[in-house]
Amino acid sequence: MNCSIRGAITADSNTREDILLNTRQLLKEMIELNEVKIENIVSILFTATKDLDAAYPAVAARELGIVDAALMCAQEMFVEGSLKMCIRVQMDVQTDKKQSEMRFVYLKNAEVLRPDKVKKQKKIAVAIDGPAGSGKSTLAKELAADFGFIYVDTGAMYRSIGYKCIDNGISTDDVKKVSELARNINMEICYIDGRQRIFVDGIDISDEIRTQQVADAASAVAKMQDVRKTLVKLQREIAKNNNVIMDGRDIGTNVLPDAEIKVYLDADVSERAKRRCGELAEKGIEHDFYKVLDEIMARDKQDKERRFNPLTVAEDAVIIDTTNMRASMVKDAVAELINEALL
Ligand code: DC
């Protein structure tokens, strides 16, 4: 059957960037909260107050990959004293659920429109740090799915900068050029069907950043203070408005020092190399164990010995050595910590 999901958000300024950024955030939250599949969106009606005319909010839907749904934008009439710079959305979706089960989303100043529909719950941040191959992303992804939190893979952000350097022929030793690239990059993290996708300059590069060449470039650019500042700002912004499980190298020590839960995952380097070889084999990619081992050791060294925010264990982190643990055991242990924090 067809059901309608309503939502609204306010923009901070009448600029194209701000209108699209906020509309994307609203759409993403409506989609996630209601577990909507992109292909099941039938149509979306957008309205914006008269003070927002720098962009059509509907463009944000296309940017999120909503390509088949009918989109329409309309301008609202001006009413003295009404909410300023407001974007409203009505999304019609095909679903097995009933209309009464649909959850509406009111964000930022738009919360005043329907305070009864604003979900207020204890906000939790989970920081997961550790070296490459320690099992961070598997753990973080599964926990995020179980608890309905947003998974933020910060490594993907450093990888995107590394990828752009390679793509633009910029040397990862050139601090000035790489810092400039990081400052000007248009990076967008989206959650489509619960999976993190990373868009750079409007293009989804989530799969392209998974090569060894990009991993090495990421580790090199991650040494740069300006690059880190830019990305950390974005990471904190995501955590400000959402329950997050964030993985990386400096989450508990630097990005989210007040995270309710901090976990440091570790594993023997040869075990980590073995896991990496397993992943490569699964993808049918030819590999050599000793070469993989060397690459991981070089990356460990670079990540642990760099000057700015190196990989270290936060004082209040729970350390889990996953060398001889099954992924499900690790997950159960951290899930228990989250359940305690949610009480
Ligand atoms: O987790 P990963 O392999 O995708 O990370 C790629 C590189 O990015 C890693 O070698 C170090 C860097 N990184 C970082 O410095 N800080 C983070 N929070 C995440 C990743």
Side-chain angles (χ1 to χ4, degrees):
M1 69 191 271
N2 272 19
C3 290
S4 281
I5 306 167
R6 304 288 311 272
I9 192 168
T10 48
D12 302 311
S13 63
N14 180 24
T15 58
R16 178 182 168 82
E17 197 187 10
D18 221 61
I19 292 171
L20 297 187
L21 181 85
N22 283 290
T23 311
R24 279 196 299 271
Q25 187 190 339
L26 176 63
L27 292 172
K28 280 186 272 179
E29 200 134 327
M30 291 167 72
I31 289 168
E32 278 192 21
L33 201 62
N34 292 285
E35 296 168 322
V36 172
K37 286 206 163 38
I38 297 283
E39 62 271 22
N40 289 344
I41 301 176
V42 181
S43 62
I44 311 177
L45 170 64
F46 299 85
T47 69
T49 44
K50 270 194 155 171
D51 47 7
L52 292 180
D53 59 6
Y56 292 115
V59 172
R62 296 288 185 237
E63 287 175 347
L64 287 180
I66 303 170
V67 285
D68 293 326
L71 307 179
M72 184 172 162
C73 297
Q75 194 176 59
E76 291 179 22
M77 67 189 94
F78 174 73
V79 178
E80 194 63 52
S82 65
L83 193 59
K84 301 226 169 15
M85 290 203 269
C86 184
I87 300 153
R88 278 173 245 247
V89 168
Q90 176 173 316
M91 181 187 288
D92 290 325
V93 298
Q94 264 183 348
T95 171
D96 297 334
K97 296 184 189 173
K98 296 198 271 298
Q99 179 61 44
S100 57
E101 292 175 87
M102 293 295 108
R103 294 171 70 185
F104 296 177
V105 178
Y106 292 86
L107 301 173
K108 296 172 62 181
N109 294 342
E111 285 187 3
V112 301
L113 296 171
R114 291 298 304 261
D116 55 321
K117 299 274 183 194
V118 174
K119 60 174 169 115
K120 290 266 181 262
Q121 52 166 208
K122 198 167 173 189
K123 209 162 69 56
I124 298 275
V126 183
I128 301 180
D129 290 299
S134 53
K136 299 185 301 289
S137 65
T138 311
L139 172 69
K141 260 185 236 164
E142 289 189 6
L143 286 173
D146 287 358
F147 284 91
F149 290 6
I150 285 185
Y151 165 49
V152 188
D153 168 7
T154 61
M157 300 184 185
Y158 292 91
R159 284 173 183 259
S160 298
I161 308 278
Y163 175 84
K164 269 311 236 194
C165 287
I166 298 167
D167 206 34
N168 293 352
I170 296 175
S171 159
T172 51
D173 293 330
D174 191 333
V175 179
K176 197 161 168 269
K177 280 203 179 141
V178 178
S179 304
E180 197 181 308
L181 182 144
R183 265 197 305 277
N184 296 321
I185 203 167
N186 175 8
M187 187 184 291
E188 192 73 44
I189 307 285
C190 299
Y191 294 88
I192 299 176
D193 293 340
R195 283 188 312 139
Q196 174 177 306
R197 307 297 297 176
I198 191 155
F199 288 72
V200 168
D201 300 330
I203 299 170
D204 183 350
I205 57 162
S206 318
D207 300 323
E208 286 78 357
I209 58 173
R210 293 291 150 204
T211 65
Q212 186 58 43
Q213 192 194 11
V214 174
D216 294 340
S219 193
V221 302
K223 287 192 295 189
M224 300 174 191
Q225 191 177 26
D226 272 5
V227 171
R228 303 202 69 83
K229 268 194 196 157
T230 307
L231 296 186
V232 168
K233 193 166 162 232
L234 185 59
Q235 292 154 11
R236 288 189 180 141
E237 201 58 41
I238 300 173
K240 202 166 80 183
N241 299 318
N242 302 290
N243 282 332
V244 290
I245 301 196
M246 194 176 277
D247 79 7
R249 305 293 188 286
D250 62 336
I251 311 304
T253 52
N254 175 46
V255 182
L256 304 174
D258 297 326
E260 282 71 15
I261 296 156
K262 295 183 186 177
V263 176
Y264 186 94
L265 285 194
D266 213 343
D268 280 353
V269 69
S270 53
E271 170 63 21
R272 290 189 279 128
K274 226 162 66 189
R275 289 178 191 167
R276 177 80 187 128
C277 289
E279 285 165 17
L280 293 171
E282 235 170 62
K283 289 183 191 155
I285 300 171
E286 254 188 63
H287 57 276
D288 171 69
F289 175 80
Y290 290 101
K291 191 160 173 275
V292 171
L293 185 66
D294 279 351
E295 282 161 357
I296 291 193
M297 290 202 308
R299 210 136 71 87
D300 279 1
K301 185 168 158 53
Q302 183 136 267
D303 295 344
K304 288 180 178 172
E305 294 181 3
R306 66 172 177 237
R307 182 158 159 224
F308 306 109
N309 314 122
L311 171 63
T312 52
V313 185
E315 256 177 34
D316 45 353
V318 175
I319 303 174
I320 303 179
D321 184 334
T322 69
T323 310
N324 296 310
M325 284 175 85
R326 281 196 311 275
S328 61
M329 289 163 75
V330 182
K331 189 175 111 175
D332 289 348
V334 183
E336 208 174 306
L337 297 176
I338 300 176
N339 279 323
E340 272 168 27
L342 281 170
L343 286 179

